[in-house]
Amino acid sequence: MILPTKGITPSKALLAVAGEALRSLREAKTVSRLWDDFRKLSDPRSEVTFDWFVLGLDLLFVLGAVELEQGRLRRTIAGNEALR
């Protein structure tokens, strides 16, 4: 689930979904705006659903890479360092 397996393609693994979401999060955004940006950038064949996308955001939150501030997601310092 977090990593690719026989049943989960690499583009649909939660780690890949979370990485794509983090890459799209250059500035604070609402979840719906981030979802729209994610769908524009992601591979249309990956068929990532909104609930799977939210699980990727949950993974980022648990890892301390994002936080919710006034209804918008933003990167934390750990999230900024992850992209270097």
Side-chain angles (χ1 to χ4, degrees):
M1 189 162 145
I2 293 174
L3 296 173
T5 63
K6 189 185 332 182
I8 297 176
T9 63
S11 63
K12 197 171 177 182
L14 285 180
L15 196 57
V17 171
E20 287 292 319
L22 190 61
R23 191 171 62 139
S24 299
L25 196 58
R26 299 281 180 202
E27 70 224 13
K29 297 179 183 179
T30 62
V31 173
S32 59
R33 181 167 170 221
L34 185 59
W35 168 243
D36 289 339
D37 293 347
F38 175 85
R39 288 189 308 169
K40 289 176 190 171
L41 291 176
S42 65
D43 182 7
R45 294 173 290 165
S46 68
E47 299 177 6
V48 173
T49 59
F50 182 73
D51 58 334
W52 198 255
F53 174 74
V54 171
L55 285 174
L57 295 181
D58 289 342
L59 179 62
L60 290 174
F61 184 78
V62 167
L63 294 174
V66 297
E67 62 186 13
L68 190 62
E69 185 177 276
Q70 298 179 346
R72 295 173 186 246
L73 280 174
R74 72 174 189 89
R75 287 188 200 169
T76 61
I77 293 171
N80 286 331
E81 291 176 2
L83 290 178
R84 291 186 184 165

